[in-house]
Amino acid sequence: MEKFEKLTSVAAPLPIANVDTDMIIPARYLKTIKRTGLGEGLFANMRFKEDGSDNEEFVLNQPAYKDAQILVAGNNFGCGSSREHAPWALMDYGIKCVISTDFADIFYNNSFKNGMLLIKVGPEELDMLMDDAERGANATVTVDLEAQEITGPDGGVVRFEIDAFRKHCLLNGLDDIGLTMEKEDKIASFEESHKAAQPWL
Amino acid sequence: MSAPKTLFDKIWDAHLIDESDDGTCLIFIDRHIVHEVTSPQAFEGLRTAGRKVRRPDLTLAVPDHNVPTSDRAAGIDDEESRIQVETLDNNCRDFGLQIFGMDDIRQGICHVIGPEQGFTLPGTTLICGDSHTATHGAFGSLSFGVGTSEVEHVLATQTMIQRKSKNMRVTVDGELPLGVTAKDMILAIIGEIGTAGGTGCVIEFAGEAIRSLSMEGRMTVCNMTIEGGARAGLIAPDETTFEYLKGRPMAPKGGAWETAAEYWKTLKSDEGAKYDIEVTLKAEDIVPQVTWGTSPEDVVPITGAVPDPSDESDDARRNKMERSLEYMGLEPGTAMRDVRIDRMFIGSCTNSRIEDLRAAAEVAQKAIDTGRKVAGHVDAMVVPGSGLVKAQAEEEGLDRIFIEAGFDWREPGCSMCLAMNADKLTPGERCASTSNRNFEGRQGPGGRTHLVSPAMAAAAAIAGHLTDIRDLD
């Protein structure tokens, strides 16, 4: 997994609440057996018109946001399906960080396991960052994971909280499975006592 | 004496392997169901790292999302779908996992076959790479829907890294009125708590109305826990649970059954257990529900009307409503009963079990008895949840009732719950659906979904518009 330390980029505003994973990546794109290439389906139903051409009104199609690596979105981003294709699509497209007031649980987990940073901020801070994002190409935002700070285009700083374990894994690009396997003794001994307690399983 | 525990606390504690100082926990997973959509990248990850499946004996695989629900003799037309299903077959062969393939009568939707086989058991932890894994909570199984990284993690280690969720309890007191079902109950609950109401929580469903539900009804309720944003749903196991499970192929037998049942009886929340959030509803207040918008929380009684965004004072919510109504092609103030439909879908992991089909068939039979059929402009499909559900329905003659009344009787699978196989809505088509999500494009790009119970769906198909099941007699 790639490390996430610091990111400076234009931030694209998506002021819609409850952006669900079917919106992020419609089911017809889930037929792949690979993790890569899903960026082409990102927000497909909003990004493209019925004839397949670009919907110029959609934020990521606007010239100012072509290179955005940060998304500022409405509350409860990522609700719905457990498809990890949602963070894969965002990452493959180039989005590395999403800022919102809250995220759906499964999407939250899935994103961190792919090196994407999700930041929860208060409603007023989100309004402020949304305003910053609306300013387009000249307004870059810097996210510093180590310092747990977002710096806006005018130098204003928003502090954010993050779980220490997730931060550690992201900063160091650590793979969960490798970490868990280091606990093999504990797993094996649990397995034995669990089998004794519930032999029917 | 130790502090009183909730059902969730008890199952969690019985599976806790390790807890770090910061509260990150490692828990053991007893059951893992794998399907074709969220697993290929996980198996690929195992191969790349040279890892094995740690406990093939605790893992069961089935293809469901991509399988056609028409005649399968010719295989799958769509190449990508076919590759995904074949990839699951190959992975199961390579890693030594049991699979119910497309031509196996036990094949079906992963959340239908787990309980049907007795693979899902009380007091277990269960995961699947699908958000509707919450379904299995109906058995008092702590069941999490996860993404592909976690599928890979469980395949490799049989464990999951997680912080403990909060305890939430939703109590539904009293008795459901006639014509009101488990589906109406869960839609009403989501309407009450909102689509993010359960975020960070495991919801225990309790109260007389929950206890009175059959296992099928309980599965419908737990299935949609995720639409309320919760990590999992739980219902304490009781005699209804044990009666359903006894004799199932993978359930314990003989002496093991007796020992297990003794333990399962202890799986209920202690008196005085603490919940972080409590919500109470009265069953008698619930009427048949229908969604009007593009989130499961956008729900009204069938007797109600499409809401007016101008009545909403909160900007963000008003914008969301306007966007939903534009997508749904609905005018504020329209009576829900006047909304004409083009399609009807009975199926999905929410409502495709035998009891759901019986409820819909009863409506179909009434139509036949009064000389009616599915409305001429409506295409109505009924998709059983598994090969075994289909066989049982056919044994009971339900298929003949459906066919006589003008419904299309199909092969088992996820079907039109999500636009991933051949069954989908075309842009602008409006569907009364027993599935779980009315998101934009969920049943096909531009498709418009109204979530309802199986009986309400069947009644809508016959009337040609959304209708109150209670008006049918």
Side-chain angles (χ1 to χ4, degrees):
Chain A
M1 191 172 93
E2 235 177 272
K3 292 179 185 178
F4 187 111
E5 290 164 321
K6 205 169 182 177
L7 173 67
T8 298
S9 159
V10 166
L14 195 64
I16 305 173
N18 302 332
V19 170
D20 58 66
T21 49
D22 280 83
M23 270 184 194
I24 299 174
I25 181 115
R28 60 185 181 279
Y29 291 96
L30 310 189
K31 296 182 182 182
T32 175
I33 55 169
K34 298 190 167 69
R35 286 171 207 254
T36 49
L38 284 151
E40 70 177 86
L42 180 71
F43 295 122
N45 291 348
M46 297 197 273
R47 214 170 109 210
F48 305 116
K49 294 182 188 160
E50 257 173 56
D51 65 4
S53 64
D54 281 2
N55 170 15
E56 300 301 338
E57 283 175 25
F58 186 66
V59 63
L60 295 177
N61 287 335
Q62 294 166 17
Y65 299 107
K66 280 279 184 212
D67 299 319
Q69 296 178 63
I70 299 171
L71 205 58
V72 184
N75 190 50
N76 195 33
F77 187 86
C79 61
S81 151
S82 69
R83 59 188 69 161
E84 199 156 317
H85 310 70
W88 292 340
L90 285 160
M91 294 284 285
D92 191 57
Y93 184 87
I95 305 288
K96 294 178 177 153
C97 172
V98 185
I99 304 171
S100 178
T101 37
D102 208 355
F103 298 90
D105 287 331
I106 306 177
F107 176 78
Y108 192 74
N109 271 330
N110 286 344
S111 297
F112 279 91
K113 291 189 190 300
N114 289 280
M116 183 158 74
L117 174 63
L118 302 188
I119 302 178
K120 296 182 197 179
V121 296
E124 284 163 21
E125 292 162 333
L126 188 77
D127 286 348
M128 195 179 83
L129 290 163
M130 199 68 85
D131 286 345
D132 287 343
E134 305 275 2
R135 287 160 53 187
N138 299 323
T140 57
V141 170
T142 297
V143 172
D144 184 340
L145 176 56
E146 179 61 55
Q148 298 183 208
E149 284 176 355
I150 307 168
T151 308
D154 303 325
V157 171
V158 173
R159 291 262 317 153
F160 62 87
E161 293 304 315
I162 184 168
D163 174 287
F165 178 69
R166 291 189 198 279
K167 179 177 173 179
H168 175 73
C169 288
L170 225 56
L171 282 174
N172 297 289
L174 293 177
D175 156 30
D176 272 356
I177 297 179
L179 287 176
T180 299
M181 284 185 148
E182 288 171 13
K183 296 184 178 170
E184 172 56 30
D185 289 354
K186 283 185 177 173
I187 298 171
S189 98
F190 176 90
E191 211 167 17
E192 208 167 299
S193 60
H194 192 54
K195 183 84 195 159
Q198 298 185 42
W200 57 86
L201 291 179
Chain B
M1 217 185 110
S2 60
K5 287 181 176 182
T6 65
L7 172 59
F8 167 47
D9 295 337
K10 289 183 184 181
I11 304 176
W12 180 267
D13 291 350
H15 292 84
L16 185 62
I17 300 169
D18 190 40
E19 180 167 3
S20 308
D21 295 338
D22 71 348
T24 305
C25 298
L26 189 67
I27 62 167
F28 190 76
I29 301 301
D30 295 315
R31 296 284 185 263
H32 186 181
I33 305 178
V34 177
H35 66 82
E36 80 279 18
V37 182
T38 55
S39 68
Q41 297 87 348
F43 286 112
E44 182 195 62
L46 293 182
R47 271 197 196 91
T48 310
R51 289 168 178 149
K52 291 185 196 156
V53 174
R54 184 185 168 97
R55 294 289 303 270
D57 58 319
L58 303 182
T59 313
L60 177 64
V62 70
D64 55 2
H65 286 61
N66 277 282
V67 300
T69 62
S70 51
D71 183 18
R72 289 174 188 176
I76 305 178
D77 272 347
D78 181 276
E79 193 188 352
E80 287 179 302
S81 290
R82 193 177 62 244
I83 290 173
Q84 215 167 43
V85 170
E86 285 170 359
T87 303
L88 181 66
D89 280 334
N90 295 339
N91 283 329
C92 288
R93 193 193 53 225
D94 293 353
F95 288 91
L97 306 181
Q98 185 176 10
I99 177 168
F100 296 160
M102 221 168 70
D103 52 358
D104 190 317
I105 192 171
R106 297 168 297 178
Q107 182 271 340
I109 306 173
C110 52
H111 309 310
V112 174
I113 66 145
E116 192 171 77
Q117 292 297 320
F119 185 68
T120 307
L121 293 174
T124 53
T125 46
L126 181 152
I127 72 123
C128 172
D130 187 281
S131 60
H132 292 109
T133 307
T135 311
H136 307 264
F139 292 81
S141 164
L142 182 58
S143 303
F144 297 114
V146 300
T148 302
S149 293
E150 282 178 321
V151 167
E152 185 180 341
H153 193 276
V154 173
L155 288 171
T157 69
Q158 207 58 37
T159 68
M160 187 172 164
I161 300 172
Q162 208 184 109
R163 295 174 78 88
K164 194 180 174 196
S165 303
K166 288 186 284 190
N167 275 290
M168 176 167 174
R169 180 164 61 183
V170 174
T171 306
V172 189
D173 289 324
E175 208 177 313
L176 283 178
L178 206 65
V180 181
T181 66
K183 181 65 166 285
D184 303 304
M185 194 194 287
I186 187 63
L187 284 171
I189 291 169
I190 295 162
E192 174 80 20
I193 68 173
T195 185
T199 301
C201 299
V202 167
I203 299 181
E204 180 179 345
F205 295 98
E208 189 194 340
I210 298 283
R211 297 244 72 83
S212 308
L213 291 174
S214 64
M215 286 318 295
E216 283 86 350
R218 293 180 190 186
M219 283 188 257
T220 300
V221 169
C222 286
N223 172 275
M224 288 190 70
T225 312
I226 184 67
E227 312 314 333
R231 280 307 264 130
L234 276 177
I235 295 174
D238 59 10
E239 287 306 322
T240 306
T241 323
F242 307 148
E243 200 175 304
Y244 177 98
L245 284 173
K246 198 161 189 181
R248 301 264 164 191
M250 296 180 178
K253 309 259 176 333
W257 170 269
E258 299 304 327
T259 323
E262 276 313 302
Y263 170 66
W264 294 341
K265 285 175 190 162
T266 69
L267 293 173
K268 53 186 167 203
S269 293
D270 295 330
E271 190 98 6
K274 293 260 185 304
Y275 293 87
D276 302 284
I277 305 172
E278 288 246 33
V279 175
T280 304
L281 279 82
K282 282 197 194 120
E284 46 270 37
D285 293 346
I286 303 175
V287 293
Q289 304 278 307
V290 57
T291 58
W292 56 265
T294 56
S295 165
E297 69 183 11
D298 299 340
V299 69
V300 284
I302 182 65
T303 48
V306 176
D308 190 344
S310 63
D311 295 340
E312 176 60 59
S313 56
D314 181 87
D315 282 353
R317 272 199 222 138
R318 189 172 55 249
N319 292 343
K320 173 83 171 54
M321 282 172 85
E322 284 167 352
R323 184 188 164 87
S324 291
L325 290 184
E326 194 191 329
Y327 181 86
M328 293 297 290
L330 290 173
E331 290 300 321
T334 308
M336 291 311 297
R337 280 183 285 203
D338 291 340
V339 176
R340 187 181 148 103
I341 61 163
D342 311 301
R343 307 279 297 268
M344 185 229 67
F345 170 56
I346 292 174
S348 88
C349 56
T350 312
N351 285 124
S352 63
R353 298 177 182 84
I354 191 68
E355 189 184 280
D356 303 317
L357 301 185
R358 284 182 194 139
E362 198 183 316
V363 174
Q365 183 63 55
K366 268 187 200 165
I368 295 169
D369 294 346
T370 50
R372 286 175 300 166
K373 285 184 108 174
V374 168
H377 66 276
V378 176
D379 173 84
M381 50 200 279
V382 183
V383 183
S386 71
L388 290 169
V389 168
K390 181 168 187 262
Q392 188 179 349
E394 288 175 353
E395 206 178 290
E396 295 179 15
L398 306 185
D399 58 324
R400 292 194 298 278
I401 298 172
F402 283 125
I403 293 165
E404 192 184 337
F407 293 84
D408 184 12
W409 176 248
R410 301 180 74 90
E411 298 293 327
C414 293
S415 185
M416 205 162 65
C417 173
L418 84 175
M420 204 166 169
N421 46 71
D423 308 338
K424 56 185 80 162
L425 298 179
T426 56
E429 270 190 324
R430 188 180 298 283
C431 180
S433 177
T434 68
S435 54
N436 38 58
R437 285 188 179 135
N438 50 344
F439 295 162
E440 289 179 20
R442 171 76 181 185
Q443 294 192 292
R448 295 161 171 168
T449 306
H450 294 277
L451 302 177
V452 287
S453 73
M456 288 275 286
I462 288 154
H465 53 85
L466 297 173
T467 188
D468 190 338
I469 180 70
R470 298 169 304 176
D471 294 342
L472 205 68
D473 296 312

Short mmCIF file of all heavy atoms in Angstrom, two decimals, chain A residues 18-24 76-83 86 103-107 110, chain B residues 130-132 145-146 195 226-230 296 436-437 439 442:
data_model
loop_
_atom_site.label_atom_id
_atom_site.label_comp_id
_atom_site.label_asym_id
_atom_site.label_seq_id
_atom_site.Cartn_x
_atom_site.Cartn_y
_atom_site.Cartn_z
N ASN A 18 -25.47 12.01 1.60
CA ASN A 18 -25.75 10.60 1.33
C ASN A 18 -25.30 10.15 -0.06
O ASN A 18 -26.03 9.43 -0.75
CB ASN A 18 -27.25 10.28 1.47
CG ASN A 18 -27.79 10.61 2.84
OD1 ASN A 18 -27.06 10.57 3.83
ND2 ASN A 18 -29.06 10.96 2.92
N VAL A 19 -24.14 10.60 -0.51
CA VAL A 19 -23.60 10.08 -1.78
C VAL A 19 -23.35 8.59 -1.56
O VAL A 19 -22.55 8.21 -0.72
CB VAL A 19 -22.30 10.79 -2.18
CG1 VAL A 19 -21.65 10.08 -3.36
CG2 VAL A 19 -22.59 12.24 -2.54
N ASP A 20 -24.11 7.72 -2.28
CA ASP A 20 -24.02 6.29 -2.03
C ASP A 20 -23.02 5.63 -2.97
O ASP A 20 -22.58 6.24 -3.94
CB ASP A 20 -25.41 5.65 -2.10
CG ASP A 20 -26.07 5.87 -3.45
OD1 ASP A 20 -25.55 5.34 -4.44
OD2 ASP A 20 -27.10 6.58 -3.51
N THR A 21 -22.68 4.38 -2.66
CA THR A 21 -21.64 3.72 -3.45
C THR A 21 -22.13 3.35 -4.85
O THR A 21 -21.32 3.14 -5.74
CB THR A 21 -21.09 2.47 -2.72
OG1 THR A 21 -22.19 1.69 -2.27
CG2 THR A 21 -20.25 2.86 -1.53
N ASP A 22 -23.46 3.27 -5.04
CA ASP A 22 -23.97 3.08 -6.40
C ASP A 22 -23.73 4.33 -7.25
O ASP A 22 -23.56 4.25 -8.46
CB ASP A 22 -25.47 2.76 -6.40
CG ASP A 22 -25.74 1.30 -6.08
OD1 ASP A 22 -25.76 0.95 -4.90
OD2 ASP A 22 -25.90 0.50 -7.03
N MET A 23 -23.73 5.51 -6.59
CA MET A 23 -23.40 6.75 -7.30
C MET A 23 -21.90 6.80 -7.60
O MET A 23 -21.48 7.21 -8.68
CB MET A 23 -23.71 7.97 -6.41
CG MET A 23 -25.08 8.54 -6.53
SD MET A 23 -25.06 10.01 -5.45
CE MET A 23 -26.75 10.33 -5.33
N ILE A 24 -21.10 6.40 -6.62
CA ILE A 24 -19.65 6.46 -6.78
C ILE A 24 -19.22 5.52 -7.90
O ILE A 24 -18.42 5.90 -8.76
CB ILE A 24 -18.93 6.12 -5.46
CG1 ILE A 24 -19.32 7.14 -4.37
CG2 ILE A 24 -17.40 6.11 -5.65
CD1 ILE A 24 -18.79 6.82 -2.99
N ASN A 76 -22.47 11.83 5.38
CA ASN A 76 -22.76 10.39 5.17
C ASN A 76 -22.30 9.92 3.79
O ASN A 76 -22.99 9.17 3.11
CB ASN A 76 -24.25 10.11 5.39
CG ASN A 76 -24.57 8.64 5.55
OD1 ASN A 76 -23.75 7.88 6.09
ND2 ASN A 76 -25.73 8.22 5.10
N PHE A 77 -21.14 10.35 3.38
CA PHE A 77 -20.56 9.95 2.09
C PHE A 77 -20.24 8.45 2.12
O PHE A 77 -19.73 7.94 3.11
CB PHE A 77 -19.28 10.76 1.85
CG PHE A 77 -18.67 10.57 0.50
CD1 PHE A 77 -19.09 11.33 -0.59
CD2 PHE A 77 -17.67 9.63 0.29
CE1 PHE A 77 -18.52 11.16 -1.85
CE2 PHE A 77 -17.10 9.46 -0.97
CZ PHE A 77 -17.53 10.22 -2.04
N GLY A 78 -20.56 7.76 1.01
CA GLY A 78 -20.18 6.34 0.88
C GLY A 78 -21.17 5.36 1.48
O GLY A 78 -20.82 4.22 1.75
N CYS A 79 -22.43 5.78 1.67
CA CYS A 79 -23.39 4.85 2.26
C CYS A 79 -23.81 3.82 1.21
O CYS A 79 -23.62 4.01 0.02
CB CYS A 79 -24.60 5.59 2.83
SG CYS A 79 -25.54 6.54 1.63
N GLY A 80 -24.39 2.72 1.70
CA GLY A 80 -24.88 1.69 0.80
C GLY A 80 -23.99 0.47 0.77
O GLY A 80 -23.54 -0.01 1.80
N SER A 81 -23.72 0.02 -0.43
CA SER A 81 -23.04 -1.25 -0.67
C SER A 81 -21.64 -1.30 -0.07
O SER A 81 -21.00 -0.28 0.13
CB SER A 81 -22.99 -1.46 -2.18
OG SER A 81 -21.88 -2.22 -2.57
N SER A 82 -21.14 -2.53 0.14
CA SER A 82 -19.80 -2.71 0.72
C SER A 82 -18.71 -2.72 -0.35
O SER A 82 -17.55 -2.92 -0.05
CB SER A 82 -19.75 -4.03 1.49
OG SER A 82 -19.82 -5.11 0.60
N ARG A 83 -19.08 -2.50 -1.61
CA ARG A 83 -18.13 -2.62 -2.72
C ARG A 83 -16.87 -1.78 -2.50
O ARG A 83 -16.94 -0.57 -2.41
CB ARG A 83 -18.83 -2.26 -4.04
CG ARG A 83 -19.39 -0.86 -4.07
CD ARG A 83 -20.24 -0.59 -5.30
NE ARG A 83 -21.49 -1.35 -5.26
CZ ARG A 83 -22.57 -1.06 -5.98
NH1 ARG A 83 -22.56 -0.05 -6.82
NH2 ARG A 83 -23.66 -1.79 -5.88
N ALA A 86 -15.62 1.18 -4.80
CA ALA A 86 -15.83 2.62 -4.62
C ALA A 86 -14.52 3.34 -4.31
O ALA A 86 -14.12 4.24 -5.05
CB ALA A 86 -16.90 2.87 -3.55
N PHE A 103 -18.90 9.61 7.37
CA PHE A 103 -18.82 8.60 6.31
C PHE A 103 -19.54 7.35 6.78
O PHE A 103 -19.60 7.07 7.97
CB PHE A 103 -17.35 8.25 6.03
CG PHE A 103 -16.54 9.40 5.54
CD1 PHE A 103 -15.88 10.22 6.44
CD2 PHE A 103 -16.46 9.68 4.19
CE1 PHE A 103 -15.13 11.31 6.00
CE2 PHE A 103 -15.71 10.76 3.73
CZ PHE A 103 -15.04 11.58 4.64
N ALA A 104 -20.06 6.57 5.82
CA ALA A 104 -20.64 5.27 6.19
C ALA A 104 -19.50 4.35 6.63
O ALA A 104 -18.39 4.42 6.10
CB ALA A 104 -21.39 4.69 5.00
N ASP A 105 -19.80 3.48 7.60
CA ASP A 105 -18.75 2.67 8.25
C ASP A 105 -17.93 1.79 7.30
O ASP A 105 -16.71 1.75 7.39
CB ASP A 105 -19.40 1.74 9.30
CG ASP A 105 -19.85 2.51 10.53
OD1 ASP A 105 -19.23 3.53 10.85
OD2 ASP A 105 -20.82 2.07 11.18
N ILE A 106 -18.63 1.04 6.43
CA ILE A 106 -17.90 0.08 5.60
C ILE A 106 -17.00 0.82 4.61
O ILE A 106 -15.83 0.46 4.41
CB ILE A 106 -18.85 -0.88 4.83
CG1 ILE A 106 -19.80 -1.57 5.81
CG2 ILE A 106 -18.05 -1.91 4.05
CD1 ILE A 106 -20.84 -2.48 5.12
N PHE A 107 -17.53 1.87 4.01
CA PHE A 107 -16.74 2.67 3.07
C PHE A 107 -15.52 3.26 3.77
O PHE A 107 -14.42 3.31 3.20
CB PHE A 107 -17.61 3.78 2.47
CG PHE A 107 -16.85 4.72 1.56
CD1 PHE A 107 -16.53 4.34 0.28
CD2 PHE A 107 -16.43 5.97 2.01
CE1 PHE A 107 -15.80 5.18 -0.56
CE2 PHE A 107 -15.71 6.81 1.19
CZ PHE A 107 -15.40 6.43 -0.10
N ASN A 110 -12.96 0.51 4.15
CA ASN A 110 -12.41 0.13 2.85
C ASN A 110 -11.41 1.15 2.34
O ASN A 110 -10.39 0.80 1.75
CB ASN A 110 -13.54 0.00 1.81
CG ASN A 110 -14.38 -1.25 2.01
OD1 ASN A 110 -13.98 -2.16 2.70
ND2 ASN A 110 -15.55 -1.27 1.40
N ASP B 130 -20.44 -8.21 1.32
CA ASP B 130 -21.71 -7.67 0.84
C ASP B 130 -22.39 -6.99 2.02
O ASP B 130 -22.48 -7.56 3.10
CB ASP B 130 -22.58 -8.82 0.32
CG ASP B 130 -23.84 -8.31 -0.36
OD1 ASP B 130 -24.79 -7.95 0.36
OD2 ASP B 130 -23.86 -8.23 -1.59
N SER B 131 -22.88 -5.77 1.79
CA SER B 131 -23.41 -5.01 2.93
C SER B 131 -24.65 -5.63 3.55
O SER B 131 -24.96 -5.39 4.71
CB SER B 131 -23.71 -3.58 2.49
OG SER B 131 -24.67 -3.59 1.47
N HIS B 132 -25.38 -6.45 2.79
CA HIS B 132 -26.60 -7.04 3.35
C HIS B 132 -26.35 -8.28 4.19
O HIS B 132 -27.28 -9.00 4.55
CB HIS B 132 -27.62 -7.28 2.24
CG HIS B 132 -28.14 -5.98 1.70
ND1 HIS B 132 -27.82 -5.51 0.46
CD2 HIS B 132 -28.87 -5.02 2.29
CE1 HIS B 132 -28.35 -4.31 0.29
NE2 HIS B 132 -28.99 -3.98 1.39
N GLY B 145 -21.00 -6.87 6.96
CA GLY B 145 -20.71 -6.71 5.54
C GLY B 145 -19.37 -6.00 5.42
O GLY B 145 -19.13 -5.03 6.12
N VAL B 146 -18.49 -6.50 4.57
CA VAL B 146 -17.14 -5.94 4.47
C VAL B 146 -16.73 -5.77 3.02
O VAL B 146 -17.38 -6.29 2.12
CB VAL B 146 -16.11 -6.85 5.19
CG1 VAL B 146 -16.44 -6.99 6.67
CG2 VAL B 146 -16.03 -8.21 4.51
N THR B 195 -30.95 7.40 7.32
CA THR B 195 -30.01 6.46 6.68
C THR B 195 -28.63 6.44 7.34
O THR B 195 -27.85 5.52 7.13
CB THR B 195 -29.92 6.74 5.17
OG1 THR B 195 -29.12 5.75 4.56
CG2 THR B 195 -29.33 8.10 4.89
N ILE B 226 -28.44 -2.15 7.43
CA ILE B 226 -27.39 -1.37 6.77
C ILE B 226 -27.97 -0.10 6.13
O ILE B 226 -27.27 0.91 6.02
CB ILE B 226 -26.63 -2.23 5.74
CG1 ILE B 226 -25.46 -1.48 5.08
CG2 ILE B 226 -27.54 -2.76 4.65
CD1 ILE B 226 -24.33 -1.15 6.01
N GLU B 227 -29.24 -0.14 5.74
CA GLU B 227 -29.85 1.07 5.15
C GLU B 227 -30.07 2.14 6.23
O GLU B 227 -30.34 3.29 5.91
CB GLU B 227 -31.16 0.75 4.44
CG GLU B 227 -31.15 -0.44 3.48
CD GLU B 227 -29.97 -0.48 2.54
OE1 GLU B 227 -29.41 0.57 2.21
OE2 GLU B 227 -29.59 -1.60 2.15
N GLY B 228 -29.99 1.71 7.49
CA GLY B 228 -30.02 2.67 8.59
C GLY B 228 -28.59 3.02 9.03
O GLY B 228 -28.39 3.65 10.07
N GLY B 229 -27.60 2.57 8.27
CA GLY B 229 -26.22 2.94 8.51
C GLY B 229 -25.47 2.11 9.55
O GLY B 229 -24.29 2.34 9.78
N ALA B 230 -26.13 1.13 10.18
CA ALA B 230 -25.49 0.39 11.26
C ALA B 230 -24.52 -0.67 10.74
O ALA B 230 -24.63 -1.11 9.60
CB ALA B 230 -26.54 -0.26 12.15
N PRO B 296 -33.43 5.04 1.18
CA PRO B 296 -34.45 4.28 1.91
C PRO B 296 -35.11 5.07 3.04
O PRO B 296 -36.18 4.70 3.50
CB PRO B 296 -33.66 3.09 2.46
CG PRO B 296 -32.48 2.96 1.57
CD PRO B 296 -32.13 4.35 1.16
N ASN B 436 -33.96 -3.58 -1.54
CA ASN B 436 -33.56 -2.81 -0.36
C ASN B 436 -33.06 -1.40 -0.66
O ASN B 436 -32.86 -0.61 0.24
CB ASN B 436 -32.47 -3.58 0.37
CG ASN B 436 -31.55 -4.27 -0.62
OD1 ASN B 436 -30.95 -3.62 -1.46
ND2 ASN B 436 -31.47 -5.59 -0.55
N ARG B 437 -32.78 -1.09 -1.92
CA ARG B 437 -32.19 0.22 -2.22
C ARG B 437 -32.91 0.90 -3.37
O ARG B 437 -33.06 0.30 -4.44
CB ARG B 437 -30.71 0.09 -2.55
CG ARG B 437 -29.93 -0.16 -1.31
CD ARG B 437 -28.43 -0.11 -1.51
NE ARG B 437 -27.84 -0.35 -0.22
CZ ARG B 437 -26.83 -1.16 0.04
NH1 ARG B 437 -26.24 -1.77 -0.96
NH2 ARG B 437 -26.39 -1.32 1.27
N PHE B 439 -31.65 3.80 -4.53
CA PHE B 439 -30.64 4.76 -4.98
C PHE B 439 -30.81 5.08 -6.46
O PHE B 439 -31.29 4.25 -7.23
CB PHE B 439 -29.23 4.18 -4.80
CG PHE B 439 -28.82 3.91 -3.39
CD1 PHE B 439 -27.75 3.05 -3.13
CD2 PHE B 439 -29.45 4.52 -2.31
CE1 PHE B 439 -27.34 2.80 -1.84
CE2 PHE B 439 -29.04 4.27 -1.02
CZ PHE B 439 -27.98 3.41 -0.78
N ARG B 442 -29.83 2.38 -9.21
CA ARG B 442 -29.59 1.09 -8.56
C ARG B 442 -30.12 -0.08 -9.40
O ARG B 442 -29.49 -1.11 -9.54
CB ARG B 442 -30.25 1.09 -7.18
CG ARG B 442 -30.27 -0.25 -6.47
CD ARG B 442 -28.93 -0.62 -5.90
NE ARG B 442 -28.99 -1.91 -5.25
CZ ARG B 442 -27.98 -2.45 -4.58
NH1 ARG B 442 -26.84 -1.81 -4.49
NH2 ARG B 442 -28.10 -3.62 -4.02
#
